[in-house]
Amino acid sequence: MAVVIWILLSLLAAAAVLVLVSSRSDEDGPWRTFRRGWKARRDPDPEQAAAARAASAAPVDLSLADFLRATASEGDGYLNPDDLVENVRHATERATAVVRPRRGRELHRTSR
């Protein structure tokens, strides 16, 4: 019997939380929103009717090769190989450049 009471109390608490959250996020309130949704089931607005028609449309079977052929774009790709070669060459030059300390100045490590 105690288990049934705890289940009922938890369901009531969950319902109260849902009502509080929905009343803060909606200007009309939870009950008006519920009634408007219930009415929309019988008399849907044009957007809902269009969405229902789109959802009930037959799926299109298309192979991956046909899809890629149909959506292929002409022209340069995203990466141009010549630009990549030039960027790699510049990066290599910068990475291989040796920075030499000035004479008379030695690097000292500070110990803590």
Side-chain angles (χ1 to χ4, degrees):
M1 184 68 177
V3 173
V4 174
I5 293 172
W6 280 108
I7 290 174
L8 289 175
L9 286 175
S10 63
L11 288 175
L12 285 173
V17 167
L18 289 176
V19 167
L20 287 174
V21 168
S22 66
S23 67
R24 289 184 182 171
S25 63
D26 194 4
E27 294 176 5
D28 291 340
W31 302 117
R32 286 186 183 171
T33 304
F34 175 76
R35 286 191 309 215
R36 191 174 51 226
W38 192 259
K39 181 183 171 189
R41 290 183 62 195
R42 285 183 267 140
D43 303 319
D45 63 356
E47 286 183 15
Q48 291 173 335
R53 281 192 302 275
S56 64
V60 177
D61 290 331
L62 186 66
S63 70
L64 179 61
D66 292 338
F67 173 75
L68 293 176
R69 253 185 252 111
T71 59
S73 61
E74 299 295 325
D76 291 339
Y78 183 72
L79 296 174
N80 190 352
D82 296 332
D83 292 340
L84 289 176
V85 169
E86 186 176 327
N87 287 339
V88 169
R89 185 178 54 80
H90 287 304
T92 305
E93 288 174 1
R94 283 183 275 160
T96 56
V98 177
V99 179
R100 296 186 180 131
R102 296 182 187 171
R103 285 190 171 184
R105 292 187 181 181
E106 297 179 15
L107 296 175
H108 296 286
R109 291 186 180 175
T110 58
S111 59
R112 293 183 182 197

